Amino acid sequence: MKRSSSVIRRVVLAAAAVALAAGCTPDAAGTGTGTGTSTGTGTGTGTAPAPSSAAPSAAPTTDGKPPSPSATSPSAAPSTGKPTAKPLMDDGDENEQVRELQARLRQLDFFDRAPTGFYGTMTAASVKRFQARRGLPETGVVDATTWQQLLSVTRKPTADELKPATTNKLDTPDPRCMTGRVLCISKESRTLAWMIDGKVVSSMDVRFGSENTPTREGLFEVEWKARDWTSTIYHTPMPYAMFFSRGQAVHYSADFAARGYAGASHGCVNVRDRAKLSVLFDQVKAGDKVVVHW
């Protein structure tokens, strides 16, 4: 009987060794007869567990850091930035919406001169200051968001705000300006006053020549006019030119509108408000006086 028990024990041990070699291990339920699944109800066939269908994890990076999400998820789409907002107003634009923009910025003390309707570097700088105050990207370009923010904190500009008489206060007129039809131009106040019989009809800001090309002072008269003119010396546009002294003229300057007093003319009297100068051009006649004074 002892011999039979010993034989039986050897047979059982041999069978266990064969099972281990076949890969049959106790399943999660502890039955010892599973197929490698976690059901605990295996058939006891001794087959190895089926390989997992889950994709293997990505290998660690060479620096020992865990792989990035994009490395473990090939289907992850790259992030894209938001589309750039289309500008409503930008450098070089010249229209009535720009004039309204400048008037609204002036209500908030971001624009310190009369609206011109021309979008130049000074307007862009004013827009940047407004954008900074409102926590917006400081682009200097007016997009829909910037415009809506500005509308929300300002009121509709009046006619006087859109087209004020002048940014600079008018100087006391020179005595020679008190009679007749006169373009009375003050270097002291940097203004031009269109006067008839001592009364100011309209006025506007002006800029003069540099030290190397000064604007001449004295009593002159309008010699001739040209609505569209290009300088034959400097090859620059001179719209609404009214010549009064050997090539020097009163005319519109896009550079003055854009840069203000940061620049200078080549001797002419620059005007930055094109619309106002256009009206004046139609009123002034050849032979009208021009007085340039301090």
Side-chain angles (χ1 to χ4, degrees), residues 58-114:
T61 57
T62 55
D63 58 5
K65 295 180 180 180
S68 63
S70 59
T72 58
S73 180
S75 61
S79 61
T80 57
K82 295 182 179 179
T84 303
K86 182 179 180 181
L88 298 179
M89 289 168 272
D90 200 353
D91 186 53
D93 290 346
E94 187 171 9
N95 52 52
E96 289 307 302
Q97 188 179 25
V98 173
R99 186 182 296 277
E100 180 181 350
L101 165 71
Q102 293 166 335
R104 288 180 180 273
L105 288 170
R106 195 178 187 192
Q107 291 176 10
L108 303 174
D109 294 327
F110 287 112
F111 193 73
D112 62 355
R113 60 199 66 251

Side-chain angles (χ1 to χ4, degrees), residues 159-204:
D160 287 340
E161 287 177 320
L162 290 170
K163 298 182 179 181
T166 182
T167 298
N168 302 321
K169 184 179 179 180
L170 289 175
D171 195 5
T172 301
D174 184 279
R176 295 168 293 181
C177 298
M178 299 308 293
T179 58
R181 298 161 55 90
V182 192
L183 292 173
C184 192
I185 302 168
S186 170
K187 285 189 172 182
E188 179 69 26
S189 64
R190 298 188 291 191
T191 57
L192 179 156
W194 169 231
M195 302 179 65
I196 299 179
D197 296 331
K199 295 182 179 180
V200 177
V201 178
S202 64
S203 59
M204 54 205 73

Side-chain angles (χ1 to χ4, degrees), residues 5 9-10 50 111 117 219 231 265 274:
S5 298
R9 183 178 180 182
R10 285 199 297 272
F111 193 73
L219 175 63
S231 171
S265 74
R274 186 182 186 120

Side-chain angles (χ1 to χ4, degrees), residues 67-264:
S68 63
S70 59
T72 58
S73 180
S75 61
S79 61
T80 57
K82 295 182 179 179
T84 303
K86 182 179 180 181
L88 298 179
M89 289 168 272
D90 200 353
D91 186 53
D93 290 346
E94 187 171 9
N95 52 52
E96 289 307 302
Q97 188 179 25
V98 173
R99 186 182 296 277
E100 180 181 350
L101 165 71
Q102 293 166 335
R104 288 180 180 273
L105 288 170
R106 195 178 187 192
Q107 291 176 10
L108 303 174
D109 294 327
F110 287 112
F111 193 73
D112 62 355
R113 60 199 66 251
T116 63
F118 181 83
Y119 202 117
T121 55
M122 289 190 300
T123 302
S126 298
V127 170
K128 282 185 178 181
R129 288 194 292 272
F130 172 76
Q131 290 171 328
R133 178 70 62 84
R134 304 294 294 182
L136 301 172
E138 298 173 40
T139 63
V141 175
V142 178
D143 56 14
T145 301
T146 299
W147 184 237
Q148 289 302 319
Q149 290 261 0
L150 183 60
L151 292 179
S152 70
V153 294
T154 56
R155 52 177 169 71
K156 183 178 180 180
T158 64
D160 287 340
E161 287 177 320
L162 290 170
K163 298 182 179 181
T166 182
T167 298
N168 302 321
K169 184 179 179 180
L170 289 175
D171 195 5
T172 301
D174 184 279
R176 295 168 293 181
C177 298
M178 299 308 293
T179 58
R181 298 161 55 90
V182 192
L183 292 173
C184 192
I185 302 168
S186 170
K187 285 189 172 182
E188 179 69 26
S189 64
R190 298 188 291 191
T191 57
L192 179 156
W194 169 231
M195 302 179 65
I196 299 179
D197 296 331
K199 295 182 179 180
V200 177
V201 178
S202 64
S203 59
M204 54 205 73
D205 297 338
V206 293
R207 157 180 103 165
F208 305 100
S210 65
E211 292 183 2
N212 296 325
T213 56
T215 303
R216 289 183 281 273
E217 301 155 25
L219 175 63
F220 312 94
E221 66 176 37
V222 177
E223 299 165 354
W224 59 286
K225 306 192 309 177
R227 188 176 299 274
D228 296 301
W229 186 258
T230 300
S231 171
T232 57
I233 299 176
Y234 302 105
H235 309 292
T236 54
M238 299 170 57
Y240 304 106
M242 295 177 279
F243 290 88
F244 63 86
S245 175
R246 305 193 307 276
Q248 292 190 351
V250 175
H251 69 83
Y252 169 74
S253 168
D255 181 75
F256 182 27
R259 298 200 298 144
Y261 295 104

